[in-house]
Amino acid sequence: MEDQVVFSIIAPIFNELENLPILYQRITDVMNKASEPWELILIDDGSSDGSSELIKELASKDARVRPVIFARNFGHQIAVTAGLDYSRGKAVTIIDADMQDPPEVILDLIQKWREGYEVVYAVRAEREGETWFKTFTASLFYRFIFRITDIKIPLDTGDFRLMDRKVVNVMNTMREHHRFLRGMSAWVGFKQVGVSYKRAARFAGSTKYPFKKMLRLALTAITGFSYVPLQLATYLGFIAAGISIIAIPIVAVMRFTGSQSFFGQATTLVAVLFLGGVQLISLGILGEYIGRIYDEVKGRPLYIVSQSPADFENKNNTHQENK
Ligand code: UDP
Ligand code: MG
């Protein structure tokens, strides 16, 4: 029976103890309406609040729950990646564990999938219970990414989406370490469509995406899908060279005609500081890309699992045999 899982639901968990029971309940209610076999993959991303224990407990009561327990915190995008790796369904849905993505929307996503779409992404038409700062920076970010990248990543769309097995198989061959999944799932192509939904407020707990992590994700998105920052140095270089070609003869003529306009060190200082700044920024941008190349070259695994669903199934079996 389990070999014919049709729907996989992936939820990354980082200290979501209070959200877990309601997540499980609502997913179960919704997925029972889909009337096909399903599985819920819960990835414990190094939680320290007892979420791991609760995940294991859920799994021991319900075989449809498949736990992936990480050895430490690897981050949201990596946790979702592990979920994709372990998923077996014909259609795979990624959802947040904090009830911000209402599980009921999954049925709308499934509906589109049945119509033949291979990626069905959920577009945030409205957001509830979020600071204006988060909404504003997020909106700015989506538009900026849209402008500077070649692939058209849908606006106001998070990771809440359904992907066909074909798409998941392609995504699973893309082992880049710095991952921006919504970009990757746009990059693969296939038949894509958006479904709009109202993003709810968090049910319990606080966000696990502080400003620093958001900034890191934004940098991953930019460096992963665009060369524009690298080309910035070239543009700035041409501008500086252009200015100097005009400025050098002017300064030379003024010097020979005895003008005092460029008397003193101030002018030199301004020019040196400006160029120094531009050069350091360009070097920093280079560093950002080189660091990422270094991470890829090391070829470390994306994540380390301390308990996989298989371990868990075996444990359940031995448990039964002992009885
Ligand atoms: N999450 C995770 N690892 C992390 C940070 C977050 O697995 O390092 C999970 C978190 O438990 C939640 C989802 O990713 O299920 C989205 O996180 P959150 O709701 O905090 O982000 P926000 O909605 O505030 O952007
Ligand atoms: Mg959230």
Side-chain angles (χ1 to χ4, degrees):
M1 180 202 94
E2 277 180 22
D3 293 332
Q4 310 151 0
V5 172
V6 176
F7 298 116
S8 299
I9 315 293
I10 297 174
I13 310 286
F14 181 49
N15 295 337
E16 306 280 8
L17 189 60
E18 292 153 282
N19 289 318
L20 266 171
I22 180 153
L23 173 75
Y24 171 70
Q25 195 50 53
R26 277 176 70 180
I27 297 266
T28 313
D29 291 347
V30 167
M31 292 316 292
N32 285 344
K33 283 185 205 150
S35 58
E36 304 228 46
W38 56 273
E39 63 179 6
L40 171 62
I41 303 182
L42 296 174
I43 304 96
D44 171 41
D45 188 14
S47 301
S48 54
D49 67 343
S51 295
S52 340
E53 284 67 34
L54 184 52
I55 292 173
K56 291 181 205 170
E57 198 186 309
L58 288 172
S60 66
K61 284 186 196 145
D62 186 343
R64 294 171 299 187
V65 176
R66 302 176 69 221
V68 179
I69 313 288
F70 275 4
R72 64 167 168 86
N73 179 258
F74 280 91
H76 167 242
Q77 298 283 303
I78 300 285
V80 172
T81 303
L84 293 176
D85 288 340
Y86 281 100
S87 69
R88 302 173 300 186
K90 293 195 176 80
V92 182
T93 305
I94 303 166
I95 194 167
D96 278 0
D98 58 359
M99 298 291 116
Q100 283 199 280
D101 306 330
E104 292 70 28
V105 177
I106 297 176
L107 293 178
D108 300 341
L109 304 183
I110 289 176
Q111 177 59 35
K112 286 280 171 202
W113 175 70
R114 285 186 170 141
E115 284 170 24
Y117 290 97
E118 285 144 329
V119 175
V120 190
Y121 49 86
V123 186
R124 302 159 176 179
E126 259 180 75
R127 279 174 166 234
E128 251 178 30
E130 268 177 318
T131 59
W132 70 266
F133 181 73
K134 176 130 189 173
T135 322
F136 176 72
T137 48
S139 153
L140 204 70
F141 164 69
Y142 289 125
R143 274 146 195 88
F144 181 63
I145 293 290
F146 192 80
R147 282 199 144 249
I148 73 162
T149 58
D150 303 331
I151 42 151
K152 289 306 156 217
I153 302 172
L155 294 174
D156 302 317
T157 305
D159 290 315
F160 187 23
R161 63 186 59 223
L162 178 148
M163 294 183 287
D164 186 82
R165 172 52 45 195
K166 271 186 277 185
V167 179
V168 175
N169 285 347
V170 176
M171 297 264 293
N172 287 351
T173 64
M174 299 159 72
R175 304 314 285 176
E176 57 220 66
H177 284 69
H178 296 272
R179 303 174 81 77
F180 185 59
L181 290 167
R182 47 203 97 153
M184 289 163 63
S185 101
W187 181 86
V188 297
F190 291 104
K191 267 179 84 181
Q192 311 219 355
V193 72
V195 166
S196 70
Y197 79 110
K198 192 171 158 199
R199 188 153 163 92
R202 222 172 204 281
F203 176 73
S206 58
T207 177
K208 309 298 181 298
Y209 256 101
F211 186 65
K212 215 175 127 192
K213 272 195 196 171
M214 272 169 53
L215 206 63
R216 210 184 301 155
L217 184 67
L219 270 179
T220 299
I222 295 165
T223 53
F225 290 93
S226 173
Y227 295 140
V228 170
L230 284 174
Q231 293 158 345
L232 212 63
T234 319
Y235 298 139
L236 287 172
F238 272 114
I239 293 170
I243 294 173
S244 65
I245 284 170
I246 300 165
I248 290 168
I250 296 175
V251 174
V253 168
M254 286 174 117
R255 190 75 182 80
F256 287 129
T257 55
S259 161
Q260 297 292 310
S261 303
F262 291 98
F263 183 76
Q265 293 184 356
T267 334
T268 324
L269 194 67
V270 167
V272 167
L273 284 182
F274 174 75
L275 270 186
V278 167
Q279 283 175 348
L280 286 178
I281 291 170
S282 307
L283 266 183
I285 293 173
L286 264 183
E288 204 59 55
Y289 281 85
I290 292 173
R292 281 154 211 272
I293 298 171
Y294 184 47
D295 281 339
E296 297 301 338
V297 170
K298 278 189 281 189
R300 291 187 184 165
L302 288 182
Y303 52 84
I304 299 161
V305 166
S306 78
Q307 263 181 302
S308 72
D311 295 333
F312 217 78
E313 278 150 25
N314 293 342
K315 220 191 234 170
N316 279 351
N317 292 342
T318 30
H319 195 64
Q320 276 157 11
E321 279 159 24
N322 290 345
K323 260 194 222 167

